[in-house]
Amino acid sequence: MRVVLIVVLLLCSQLVLARGAVHEYQLDNGMKLIVKEDHRAPVVVTQVWYRVGASYEHDGITGISHVLEHMMFKGTKNHEAGEFSRIIAENGGSENAFTSRDYTAYFQRLEQSRLPVSFELEADRMRNLQLDESEFAKERKVVMEERRLRTEDKPTSLTYEQFQATAFTSSSYRNPTIGWMDDLENLQLDDLQVWYERWYAPNNAVLVVVGDVQPDAVFKLAKQHFGPLKPEQIQAPKPRIEPPQPGQRRITVSVPAEVPYLLMGFKVPVLGTAADVWEVYALEVLSGILDGGDSARLTRELVRGSQVASSAGAGYDLYDRQTSLFLIEGTPANGQDIEAVEQALHEQIRRLQERPVEAGELARVKAQVVASDVFEQDSIYYQAMQIGRLESVGLDWSLMDEYVERVNAVTAEQVQAVAKKYLVARQQTLAVLDPLPQDPGKKPRPATPGDGHGH
């Protein structure tokens, strides 16, 4: 116990040293710039985050944010299709983009003297995108094929999609980031034009720069390239608040697959919606207790111990924009069935509700959390990700500096309290993948459920 506490203290001191200076600026057109210095190598990561994603979409246009992300590489008034990526590569850099439920982001990694190249290109496509009908037709087909490969042909991903649509009735989290196939088939170029003009504006964007830079020089460069861009009248999306769940929801997904799969979720608050902030960090620790490496309970007791499951895990994201889900999943081991896995997972929940976590186990989980945060600071890309993500969901970037302290303050009694309050049948949605015989000529690819799609 004492050794674990010493490790936590040492890691905390290393984390303080890893934190570089962060500088925040605001352009006259409403665009936010956040610069974090990291002078360990002559490189820089730039990320432009737009506060729009799948959770902003309404029925009939699901998937539009992701399709627009693809179209952002298809040319502007000043650059032809494909030229953006070619210019970045010629300057020795790498680039990509991703769409999630809550935001869309575009990033480059370059040698620090090439920062003006990134700014010039990103500022250009922020307001000058040329949406071409033929390019749109091609990219829509690409996205539809992506949906087939990533979701429809992957049993666990398809189960996850159906699970989300069942768990949420009002919240826009019920829609998949990649969109429903019918919506993709009926998406029009005019829909994209309206979406682009509405959301892709400097006053709806956060520019994050991390690396070997001088903040004031970055601000001057940002004013030069992004300053002239005109803002938009941004109307916030309707709240679409999920009503209280009146009872357990349960679905079965019957598709060709190799093995059964179980996914359960419980409605829980996140940092932006919690009335009591401590609950969010207690849920984070609870996730680590169940699924924080080989020593965590699900792996130790269900996979290696009773061997009822071939795999089991848990997940929670405190930085979601809207009330979200605490997830627990499992796959039966050979000779076991899905009922045995469900019973074992519920037994794990009951243990958390009935008995406080022992001090040694709690300390180990906290040490793992702190260590993970310290190691992630080695990546300037991840540092930028932390900042951009928080700002994009309406939180302040400085909350990332509170994370370790908040986690370390969580008590065993608080972990037990959130388990009792939230991991209850009334708030549970449960999905079972019931495998059908497979076509011998078509073997489904293994998949991990998820909702992010990159360019």
Side-chain angles (χ1 to χ4, degrees):
M1 173 66 178
R2 183 182 176 187
V3 172
V4 172
L5 291 175
I6 291 172
V7 170
V8 170
L9 291 173
L10 287 172
L11 287 169
C12 285
S13 65
Q14 287 180 306
L15 187 62
V16 171
L17 294 173
R19 300 292 191 193
V22 181
H23 306 262
E24 186 175 326
Y25 305 88
Q26 189 92 16
L27 274 62
D28 291 340
N29 58 14
M31 184 173 181
K32 193 174 222 181
L33 167 66
I34 301 174
V35 183
K36 185 174 183 181
E37 296 178 75
D38 190 322
H39 300 289
R40 291 175 296 175
V43 294
V44 61
V45 166
T46 66
Q47 296 177 350
V48 177
W49 295 71
Y50 293 95
R51 296 184 183 96
V52 64
S55 65
Y56 287 70
E57 299 165 0
H58 56 77
D59 291 346
I61 63 163
T62 62
I64 192 172
S65 299
H66 179 222
V67 175
L68 180 56
E69 176 218 308
H70 279 240
M71 292 299 294
M72 285 287 281
F73 294 84
K74 298 302 176 181
T76 68
K77 297 174 183 177
N78 303 309
H79 297 93
E80 296 181 356
E83 197 172 339
F84 187 108
S85 299
R86 180 183 60 79
I87 292 172
I88 294 296
E90 286 178 350
N91 281 272
S94 59
E95 47 80 35
N96 214 322
F98 54 86
T99 306
S100 84
R101 298 191 295 196
D102 297 325
Y103 40 77
T104 309
Y106 303 83
F107 64 89
Q108 298 86 46
R109 180 184 174 97
L110 293 156
E111 194 273 327
Q112 56 93 7
S113 68
R114 299 295 193 268
L115 184 60
V117 175
S118 168
F119 278 18
E120 188 272 323
L121 291 170
E122 286 290 9
D124 182 34
R125 67 176 174 180
M126 182 177 285
R127 298 266 72 183
N128 297 322
L129 189 66
Q130 295 281 74
L131 290 170
D132 177 78
E133 186 70 54
S134 62
E135 291 285 357
F136 166 66
K138 287 190 293 185
E139 287 305 311
R140 184 175 59 180
K141 289 181 179 178
V142 168
V143 173
M144 290 166 65
E145 181 61 18
E146 184 181 329
R147 176 180 165 79
R148 292 186 189 97
L149 292 173
R150 292 188 175 186
T151 302
E152 295 177 1
D153 288 349
K154 293 187 174 180
T156 52
S157 293
L158 187 61
T159 302
Y160 176 80
E161 182 179 85
Q162 293 297 310
F163 165 81
Q164 289 286 128
T166 303
F168 295 107
T169 56
S170 176
S171 169
S172 51
Y173 277 4
R174 73 188 316 273
N175 292 323
T177 298
I178 201 165
W180 300 110
M181 186 64 86
D182 184 66
D183 288 349
L184 293 172
E185 290 173 344
N186 291 285
L187 202 60
Q188 302 295 317
L189 187 65
D190 287 346
D191 297 326
L192 260 71
Q193 189 68 49
V194 170
W195 202 250
Y196 172 71
E197 292 175 359
R198 178 181 180 184
W199 299 111
Y200 277 57
N203 53 321
N204 194 48
V206 179
L207 173 61
V208 182
V209 178
V210 178
D212 187 21
V213 294
Q214 298 300 323
D216 289 341
V218 175
F219 179 45
K220 182 179 179 181
L221 192 66
K223 285 196 294 184
Q224 175 188 339
H225 290 284
F226 294 96
L229 303 181
K230 293 182 180 179
E232 286 290 329
Q233 290 287 339
I234 303 294
Q235 292 186 342
K238 301 291 185 182
R240 299 174 70 175
I241 296 172
E242 183 71 14
Q245 186 169 325
Q248 186 187 61
R249 297 172 186 160
R250 190 180 189 99
I251 62 166
T252 300
V253 178
S254 298
V255 294
E258 292 182 348
V259 293
Y261 170 67
L262 173 72
L263 177 62
M264 63 175 71
F266 303 86
K267 300 278 176 55
V268 289
V270 292
L271 202 50
T273 65
D276 297 307
V277 173
W278 68 264
E279 288 188 340
V280 171
Y281 294 97
L283 286 165
E284 183 84 339
V285 172
L286 174 56
S287 175
I289 290 166
L290 290 174
D291 186 14
D294 288 342
S295 62
R297 290 188 179 185
L298 295 184
T299 298
R300 186 180 74 236
E301 299 182 12
L302 302 191
V303 178
R304 294 202 311 272
S306 66
Q307 298 183 5
V308 69
S310 62
S311 65
Y316 169 66
D317 195 336
L318 72 165
Y319 297 135
D320 278 342
R321 187 172 67 91
Q322 301 175 156
T323 292
S324 192
L325 296 170
F326 188 99
L327 301 175
I328 305 175
E329 62 180 354
T331 300
N334 288 335
Q336 300 286 348
D337 57 28
I338 206 74
E339 289 79 13
V341 172
E342 181 180 347
Q343 183 178 349
L345 291 175
H346 279 125
E347 176 59 30
Q348 290 294 321
I349 292 171
R350 280 193 293 272
R351 281 183 54 199
L352 288 164
Q353 294 168 336
E354 293 171 359
R355 295 192 296 276
V357 180
E358 292 184 359
E361 184 177 19
L362 187 63
R364 280 196 300 274
V365 170
K366 291 179 179 181
Q368 288 176 330
V369 169
V370 176
S372 175
D373 204 49
V374 170
F375 297 146
E376 285 165 344
Q377 294 304 315
D378 285 339
S379 165
I380 61 172
Y381 173 78
Y382 182 78
Q383 292 177 53
M385 282 285 295
Q386 280 187 311
I387 294 169
R389 190 173 180 209
L390 283 163
E391 290 287 333
S392 296
V393 298
L395 300 171
D396 193 282
W397 62 264
S398 63
L399 287 172
M400 68 183 187
D401 292 334
E402 298 179 8
Y403 178 78
V404 169
E405 181 183 353
R406 292 278 195 173
V407 166
N408 278 330
V410 171
T411 66
E413 289 73 24
Q414 288 175 330
V415 173
Q416 183 181 21
V418 293
K420 284 183 176 180
K421 182 176 180 180
Y422 294 111
L423 304 191
V424 295
R426 183 177 59 82
Q427 297 180 144
Q428 183 189 48
T429 300
L430 195 146
V432 172
L433 169 59
D434 181 26
L436 296 179
Q438 296 185 83
D439 181 345
K442 184 178 182 182
K443 186 176 181 180
R445 302 170 180 84
T448 300
D451 68 347
H453 299 277
H455 164 69

